[in-house]
């Protein structure tokens, strides 16, 4: 074929095994199953368009991981020729160029029986933009006659009419009357050989160059090359998750074999990839810069590095919740995972994800486990959850654990007002405890007025949110930076004539223990109280056994996400 001498025939001991195509001066792409049928020492490659280039010795340089089954992924191999052959290699169309309305005709140059010397051309079209099992594009013959894809076409380049490659034939129909086949599109091929990614243009229908995506791709490619040169140790799967966020696409089954594979997947598989590319490049830059950090604390005030656990109703059913876990480092949010679960599954998932989140923190960071909960779940005993299935230590004894309420956490109005208060509190002086005793809890708007008039910074409630929901709701949306209560506190109102009020006793003990404690240090101080309670001779009767701390300095969480709630019909 004129101008396309890069089409190749793969042979072993003179027998034709299949097809291939030249992609570099001494590299040929083909299927892993093609070369699996020959002896490693007897592989040769011939170029029908250049009869003087026959029987060039070749070895398998890269194997895509194909396990041997007809539908196993990774059916790709890169052959290294014994010498450079002096031909122009194949050119590539943008990923997705095989799609369209109507889909363009595609060609494949293979070597079926009877034509295994010079080859034949088959004409097919892509059936759909939907990939089968996220791996293959289905092909169907353009007409009911002509050359079908048969044995001898495996490994052949699938091209547009202008000769640009869009994929490779990997599966053909066994029945002679069936004109259906599958190809690996180029963006999937690059998963198994990242070197291909450097040869591919931006995806078809991608953003305008003015959008800056091309510059991001160029920058990321330079960073990946530098990381490869320096042999940077990193986790490509985690870099990908950091880049695409909790609601982005999942890594492919089995994860990424290399850093470049992860970067290329962001480039081709993520819709509107500019933000993901920028995050990937930013995170990779941090890793290349090493452990050195800018002056100042690693994260928010008091050096806190939050690990954020957001739990919300999913909208898919009463028992279904959405859980998102992320970590903050140098003020940047790094997603760990987002899933939909039943409520019974939440604790185990949170345990695993918190453990994973610690990999994002700087070695000397002060972790702060922060649970963002719906208002009527603020009493969830998250501080009592075990650290793991193997370690029964309560989370609240092992780490500083705080809670906040979802609507409060995401309210720009409240964040602004709370931010001003925290700026004042950051001077380090202690905040006086404003008591909301059980009698006051019966008057919701009275609670609000007292909190407003006193300009309270630290409020202690005698009763838990579930017992006095209206009073707590009104107090919750006042700009009071810190709220504390006991989950086993008073229910409000009368009824303590014959016995001490448990909520009042809690506030008495709390006031004594918090005297002189700076607000920024309260999470650590409450952790110590929980440890004291656990170590007490009678832990069940200790006044601090059920202490709950709502603490949400907005400066620690610079970019709260939108609500996790996603209604489902």
């Amino acid at each position: 074929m004129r101008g396309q001498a890069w089409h190749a025939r793969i042979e072993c001991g003179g027998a034709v095994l299949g097809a291939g195509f030249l992609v570099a001066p001494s590299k040929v792409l083909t299927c892993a199953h093609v070369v699996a049928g020959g002896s490693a020492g007897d592989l040769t490659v011939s170029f029908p368009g250049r009869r003087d280039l026959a029987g060039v010795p070749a070895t398998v340089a890269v194997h895509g991981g194909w396990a041997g089954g007809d539908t196993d992924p990774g059916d790709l191999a890169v052959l290294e020729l014994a010498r450079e052959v002096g031909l122009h290699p194949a050119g590539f169309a943008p990923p997705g160029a095989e799609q369209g309305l109507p889909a363009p005709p595609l060609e494949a140059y293979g070597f079926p029986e009877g034509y295994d010397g010079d080859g034949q051309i088959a004409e097919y079209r892509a059936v759909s933009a939907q990939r089968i099992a996220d791996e293959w594009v289905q092909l169907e013959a353009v007409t009911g006659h002509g050359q079908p894809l048969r044995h001898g076409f495996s490994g052949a380049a699938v091209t547009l009419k202008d000769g640009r490659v869009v994929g490779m034939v990997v599966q053909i129909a066994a029945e002679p009357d069936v004109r259906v086949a599958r190809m690996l599109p180029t963006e999937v091929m690059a998963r198994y050989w990242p070197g291909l990614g450097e040869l591919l243009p931006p995806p078809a229908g991608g953003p305008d160059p003015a959008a800056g995506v091309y510059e991001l791709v160029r920058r990321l490619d330079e960073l990946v090359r530098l990381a490869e040169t320096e042999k940077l140790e990193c986790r490509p799967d985690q870099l990908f998750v950091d880049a695409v966020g909790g609601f982005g696409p999942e890594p492919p089954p089995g994860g990424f074999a290399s850093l470049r594979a992860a970067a290329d997947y962001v480039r081709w598989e993520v819709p509107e990839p500019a933000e993901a590319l920028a995050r990937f490049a930013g995170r990779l830059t941090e890793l290349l810069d090493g452990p050195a950090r800018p002056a100042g604390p690693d994260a928010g005030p008091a050096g806190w590095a939050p690990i954020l656990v957001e739990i919300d109703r999913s909208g898919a059913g009463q028992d279904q919740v959405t859980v998102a876990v992320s970590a903050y480092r140098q003020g940047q949010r790094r997603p760990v995972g987002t899933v939909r679960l039943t409520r019974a599954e939440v604790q185990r998932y949170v345990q695993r994800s918190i453990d994973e989140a610690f990999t994002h923190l700087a070695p000397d960071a002060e972790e702060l486990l922060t649970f963002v909960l719906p208002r009527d779940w603020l009493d969830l005993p998250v501080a009592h959850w075990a650290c793991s299935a193997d370690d029964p230590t309560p989370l609240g004894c092992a780490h500083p654990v705080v809670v906040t309420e979802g609507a409060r956490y995401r309210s720009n109005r409240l964040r602004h007002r709370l931010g001003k208060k925290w700026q004042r509190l950051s001077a380090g002086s202690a905040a006086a405890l404003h008591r909301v005793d059980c009698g006051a809890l019966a008057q919701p708007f009275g609670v609000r007025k007292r909190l407003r008039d006193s300009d309270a910074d630290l409020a202690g409630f005698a009763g838990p949110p579930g017992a006095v929901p209206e009073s707590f709701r009104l107090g919750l949306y006042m700009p009071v930076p810190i709220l504390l209560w006991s989950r086993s506190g008073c229910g409000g109102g009368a009824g303590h004539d014959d016995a001490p009020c448990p909520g009042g006793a809690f506030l008495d003990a709390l006031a004594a223990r918090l005297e002189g404690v700076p607000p920024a240090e309260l999470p650590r101080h409450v952790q110590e109280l929980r440890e004291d309670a656990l170590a007490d001779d009678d832990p069940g009767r200790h006044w601090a056994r059920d202490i709950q701390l709502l603490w949400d300095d907005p400066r620690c969480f610079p970019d709260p996400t939108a609500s996790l709630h996603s209604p489902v019909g």
Side-chain angles (χ1 to χ4, degrees), residues 283-311:
R283 178 71 176 118
L284 187 53
T285 299
E286 291 177 10
L287 294 174
L288 287 165
D289 287 345
R293 297 183 287 123
D298 179 70
W304 294 121
I307 291 175
L308 199 67
V309 180
E310 298 174 84
I311 304 174

Side-chain angles (χ1 to χ4, degrees), residues 8 16 29 84 101 103 183-184 219 243-244 261 309 345 351 388 396 431 449 467 536:
V16 175
L29 274 178
E84 295 186 0
L101 292 174
M183 78 168 188
L184 275 184
R219 178 189 170 210
V244 303
V309 180
E345 297 171 316
Q351 289 170 335
S388 71
K449 186 176 186 302
D536 192 76

Side-chain angles (χ1 to χ4, degrees), residues 209-227:
V213 172
Y214 296 137
E215 177 60 28
L216 287 169
V217 169
R218 185 197 62 77
R219 178 189 170 210
L220 182 55
D221 185 64
E222 290 177 353
L223 290 169
V224 171
R225 288 175 184 271
L226 179 60

Side-chain angles (χ1 to χ4, degrees), residues 404-416:
T404 188
E405 192 269 342
R408 170 182 164 116
Y409 170 71
R410 298 183 182 94
S411 168
N412 292 324
R413 175 182 63 85
L414 267 176
R415 284 172 62 83
H416 175 74

Side-chain angles (χ1 to χ4, degrees), residues 437-443 462-464 467-468 471 489-496 501-503:
D437 286 287
C438 61
L441 290 172
Q443 302 292 331
V468 283
S471 292
C490 175
H496 301 307
C501 169

